[in-house]
Amino acid sequence: MELMRRSWVLTILVFAIFGMLSGCMEKKGSGRSRAPGGADATPSPSQTPSPGPSGSALPDPQVSVTPTVQPSPDLQGTQDCYKAEPFICEVERAIARQTNELRGTRTELRFSKKLGFAARLWSESQGRRGGIGHAGFPRARMADLATEFGSTSGISMSAENVAMTGASATDAEAVARAFTRMWWSSPGHHRNMVGRHQAIGVGVYVRGNGTYYATQIFGAGD
């Protein structure tokens, strides 16, 4: 009996740790499930629910902390840096670029400032409440775009990935890598990243305690 009790304790600890290390994903038009860790994970009908896409995510232990670097000049004052600080925009563009690099020979995803704006608003909303999830996707995100831009013509949203990390790196590439590695190593998030989308929007928010929240929205639009 003592051996069985220890085995159950070890199993519970393994699942608890695994839940802390995962992110969260959602695909439009899919069935809802509840995954260990507390956050909603909504895989598509062809995906099998697993402990992976749920809960909060800790920084990749291989991400190094490097001195602060100045944002690239070409990102300052451009339409890609829509209503955000240059460093935040640099992290967002780095996540988009790294995602395209991981996609390999698949069609390159166009960076959408509108999808990115909706993603940033959602990251901020998650950061202010201190948790991650997909409440309101995609209807609430589209409503945000209608309020900001007056029209959602030509815009569509097909999938969403979210995650949070306490990465203390101040280099944009390192912060971006912490997110892309987490998503890429999770089956559900991976499928979203390699899906047949046309565009990607990335939104990043940094909470006062240094926790980063990031959202990827896949779909179409400028």
Side-chain angles (χ1 to χ4, degrees), residues 101-116:
E101 291 171 354
L102 290 169
R103 283 172 61 87
T105 59
R106 297 175 179 86
T107 302
E108 181 174 341
L109 300 176
R110 182 176 66 258
F111 187 86
S112 167
K113 75 169 186 179
K114 292 183 179 179
L115 292 181

Side-chain angles (χ1 to χ4, degrees), residues 17-208:
I17 294 172
F18 194 87
M20 291 177 63
L21 292 175
S22 56
C24 194
M25 70 92 192
E26 178 162 310
K27 191 150 186 175
K28 182 179 177 183
S30 55
R32 181 170 293 281
S33 65
R34 192 76 173 178
D40 286 326
T42 314
S44 68
S46 62
Q47 297 171 1
T48 302
S50 70
S54 67
S56 61
L58 300 178
D60 189 313
Q62 298 181 10
V63 176
S64 60
V65 178
T66 57
T68 302
V69 297
Q70 294 298 316
S72 302
D74 62 346
L75 287 178
Q76 300 188 47
T78 69
Q79 63 175 1
D80 293 330
C81 202
Y82 187 76
K83 291 190 174 181
E85 297 178 358
F87 178 73
I88 293 299
C89 291
E90 188 170 11
V91 175
E92 293 171 351
R93 289 307 300 265
I95 290 175
R97 187 183 65 256
Q98 290 176 18
T99 297
N100 273 320
E101 291 171 354
L102 290 169
R103 283 172 61 87
T105 59
R106 297 175 179 86
T107 302
E108 181 174 341
L109 300 176
R110 182 176 66 258
F111 187 86
S112 167
K113 75 169 186 179
K114 292 183 179 179
L115 292 181
F117 179 74
R120 194 185 305 124
L121 287 183
W122 183 236
S123 290
E124 181 177 356
S125 178
Q126 293 175 101
R128 292 190 181 282
R129 75 167 189 265
I132 58 175
H134 297 287
F137 180 81
R139 184 176 302 175
R141 315 293 185 269
M142 294 294 284
D144 287 335
L145 293 184
T147 299
E148 179 68 18
F149 299 102
S151 172
T152 58
S153 177
I155 303 293
S156 66
M157 301 180 183
S158 53
E160 179 180 78
N161 284 344
V162 303
M164 57 184 285
T165 177
S168 58
T170 53
D171 174 77
E173 291 292 326
V175 175
R177 193 175 304 115
F179 284 110
T180 55
R181 284 180 177 177
M182 284 190 291
W183 285 323
W184 191 254
S185 63
S186 168
H189 303 83
H190 184 108
R191 291 188 185 97
N192 284 346
M193 294 173 78
V194 300
R196 295 183 178 180
H197 317 291
Q198 297 178 25
I200 181 174
V202 181
V204 173
Y205 172 76
V206 186
R207 197 174 179 181

